[in-house]
Each structure stands twice: as structure tokens, then as C-alpha cells.
Amino acid sequence: MLYPNPQRVTSWLVICPVGAGVLMLGLQGKVAFVFGVASEDSIAWAICEKLAEAGVTLYLGFQKRFMSRVFQLKEKLPAIAGLYPLDVASDELTAEFFAAFAAENSGVKADILIHAIGFAPRECFDRPIIFVEDEQINTAMTISANSLQRCLRHALPHLNPGSSTITLTYAASTRYVPSYGIMSMAKAALECWTRELACHLGPEGHRINSISSGPIPTLAAGGIPGFDRILDHVAANSPLRRNVSQDDVAGTAVWLASHLSSGVTGQCIHVDAGFSITMVPESIMDS
Ligand code: NAD
């Protein structure tokens, strides 16, 4: 059906006597855990802003080294109700976040979990992939991929039924991108975790999806050699002839968090100005 069913719209109006914008998303009064704010360039920063705009109360998990930036965001967004340190490198440190949250917010449960976490040690990028050592590979996989399962395992007792979890991935999970190295393997594993967890938790109504973002200059992206050239290539050759912004990604995250995406789980949604559908760059036709 191409047009909204007027009867449906009427019943929504009766059920939700609130403003029209909020009515559509239905996120007013929901609660979110957001992990991954490091600076105002962080994708998670933009997601916080958009979720707050939609009426969501936020509880942030942050790495201590980024504390000042996270407090800056708290000053800007009254919707942030709590901030607690989080390090997903270990089970104990992940548990500490949820213990601190529960101690201060008895009975509060979340509806949304944003996992915008990625890290690989410098040594992963300063040598050919064949020489990267187990310890570095394991760190990258634990923090960038396996931490989704770790976060969800600890979060489950604090999640309402029918929650929505969103993680951030990159298209190097399925195709070669120069210098992305070990993060390609981590993103492939992260997308696999998304499908596994979606199937495992789906029967209880929980949804888990990933957003595959196009390249965006952030602190994490700064660690990828040649990142500026990737940005230029995408801007010149994506169907929309531009790069995506943090806001583009945040918009999709809000949609995935809302009831508007209620039938979507285990998916990887590309927010990349369409770049992932191309194969031969348009620029070969120039000359
Ligand atoms: P960012 O540097 O702003 O965010 C990365 C976050 O990971 C930081 O907040 C950092 O504190 C967190 N983190 C790293 N190690 C952690 C640990 N041990 N415990 C807890 N948190 C930890 O960069 P971003 O680009 O906003 O990255 C967010 C997500 O988006 C990452 O998964 C990244 O791979 C993904 N992504 C980014 C791009 C891009 O081009 N920027 C593209 C596709 C996907």
C-alpha cells in the first residue's frame, strides 16, 4: 500500500496524545545506553544528539581518557542522566559499568543499546598484515567485535523486552580496502555477531542490527593510513557524490531504535551515499 491507512493514523493519535514528530518515532520516554563517545566528531556523539531530540534518556559508558569530552556533551544535553566509565577490554570492567548504573538507577531499564566501539593497536597498521602478532589481533577482535556479545550479555538484565541494539561496521568486512587490515576481520566478525545475537535474542523480541557507515573523519578513523584518500575517492565516486556525515548515520540509528523498524533484525544497513553498490569507479570514464 502506497498511502498511510487513515484508520491507523487515527488510532495512533488516540494512543499517543503527544506532538506529531514524537508520535512518528515513539521514542519519547525511552532509555538508551550509548557506548563510544570520544569527541564531538564521534558518530556516537551525533547519535546522542538525535536520540535526545527524540525524547530518549541517555546513560553513557565512556573510556576515562575521554572523560572531559563526555562531560562537555552532558552539559549540552540534559537528556544525559548518567555517565559511567566503561572498558570493554575485559569482562570485569564491562560488568563495572552496569554495576555502577544499577547502583544509581534502581529499577531503570533501557530500550536501546548503541555500541559504537572500535579499536586496533597501532602495531596492526605499521606492518604488512602477515606480520601482525596474535596479541594485537586478539585485542582488535575483543574490543571491536566480541565486545558486542560482552556488552549485550551484561546489558540483558537491564533491558526491557523488545529492545533495539545498534552497532557500527564498515564495508571492508566483505571487500578489500587498502590499509584497513585487521579491522576488516573485526568488522566481519562483528556483523556475524549481529546475526548470531539477533537469532538468539529474537524470540524474546530483542533486535540487533548494524549500520555500515561510509568513511567519516573521527579519532578512530585517524588511525587508518591513507584515510583522506579514501574520503576523496568516495566523494568522487559514490552515487550521491559526497561522503556521509555523523548526522546521516545518526538518523538511521534513530530509525533502527524506533518502532518504525520493528520488523528489522540481524541486518547490516549501509549508510554510505550508495558507495557499496558500485564496482567500477565512474572516474574511469573521464579523460
Ligand atoms: P571514535 O574514535 O569517535 O569512537 C570510537 C570509540 O570506541 C571511542 O569512544 C572509544 O572510547 C571507544 N573504545 C575504544 N576502545 C574501547 C574500550 N576498550 N572500551 C570502551 N570503549 C572503547 O570513532 P567513530 O568513527 O565514531 O567510531 C565509532 C564506531 O564506528 C567504531 O566501531 C568504528 O569502527 C565505526 N565506523 C567508523 C567509520 C568512520 O569512518 N569513522 C566508518 C565505519 C564504521
Side-chain angles (χ1 to χ4, degrees):
M1 186 179 67
L2 285 175
Y3 301 102
N5 177 344
Q7 265 181 339
R8 267 263 166 84
V9 173
T10 312
S11 62
W12 263 106
L13 285 168
V14 172
I15 294 164
C16 308
V18 282
V22 174
L23 172 74
M24 286 300 292
L25 286 168
L27 285 173
Q28 185 79 43
K30 301 283 184 190
V31 172
F33 294 127
V34 183
F35 305 152
V37 173
S39 79
E40 59 269 43
D41 292 330
S42 294
I43 294 170
W45 181 291
I47 293 175
C48 283
E49 289 180 325
K50 276 233 185 328
L51 286 176
E53 220 177 292
V56 177
T57 300
L58 307 170
Y59 292 90
L60 271 55
F62 66 93
Q63 273 188 303
K64 286 179 185 162
R65 63 193 172 122
F66 298 124
M67 190 160 87
S68 65
R69 291 309 179 89
V70 174
F71 275 82
Q72 234 175 295
L73 182 60
K74 181 168 170 32
E75 275 176 27
K76 209 176 148 199
L77 295 182
I80 297 178
L83 300 165
Y84 311 99
L86 169 72
D87 186 345
V88 300
S90 82
D91 220 40
E92 296 71 36
L93 294 171
T94 306
E96 276 178 22
F97 166 88
F98 290 99
F101 163 78
E104 282 189 10
N105 305 281
S106 172
V108 177
K109 295 211 172 195
D111 309 282
I112 301 154
L113 191 158
I114 305 293
H115 175 277
I117 290 174
F119 174 78
R122 173 110 305 275
E123 295 85 345
C124 293
F125 302 107
D126 67 7
R127 67 200 63 186
I129 190 103
I130 192 90
F131 296 120
V132 177
E133 292 172 5
D134 284 357
E135 194 183 336
Q136 277 80 43
I137 294 172
N138 292 341
T139 299
M141 297 300 285
T142 298
I143 294 174
S144 307
N146 305 344
S147 68
L148 179 66
Q149 182 253 19
R150 178 170 279 166
C151 287
L152 254 171
R153 178 159 36 87
H154 287 284
L156 265 183
H158 309 285
L159 289 179
N160 280 319
S163 73
S164 175
T165 291
I166 297 140
T167 188
L168 270 299
T169 185
Y170 181 54
S173 57
T174 52
R175 286 181 298 162
Y176 175 70
V177 174
S179 78
Y180 204 67
I182 189 63
M183 284 303 289
S184 307
M185 272 64 81
K187 292 306 190 190
L190 180 68
E191 290 171 25
C192 206
W193 271 123
T194 305
R195 291 187 290 272
E196 281 289 327
L197 293 165
C199 289
H200 181 64
L201 297 173
E204 285 135 55
H206 298 292
R207 299 186 294 120
I208 298 100
N209 289 288
S210 63
I211 298 176
S212 186
S213 168
I216 299 177
T218 61
L219 285 176
I224 309 291
F227 188 76
D228 284 350
R229 285 189 241 172
I230 296 175
L231 281 174
D232 291 346
H233 181 75
V234 172
N237 294 293
S238 63
L240 294 179
R241 295 291 189 276
R242 67 171 177 93
N243 280 295
V244 292
S245 67
Q246 288 86 341
D247 258 14
D248 289 319
V249 178
T252 299
V254 168
W255 168 69
L256 282 172
S258 80
H259 69 87
L260 296 179
S261 61
S262 54
V264 181
T265 195
Q267 300 300 318
C268 175
I269 315 278
H270 290 267
V271 179
D272 63 351
F275 185 76
S276 54
I277 64 159
T278 67
M279 190 157 88
V280 177
E282 193 76 34
S283 50
I284 65 154
M285 307 308 281
D286 304 341
S287 71

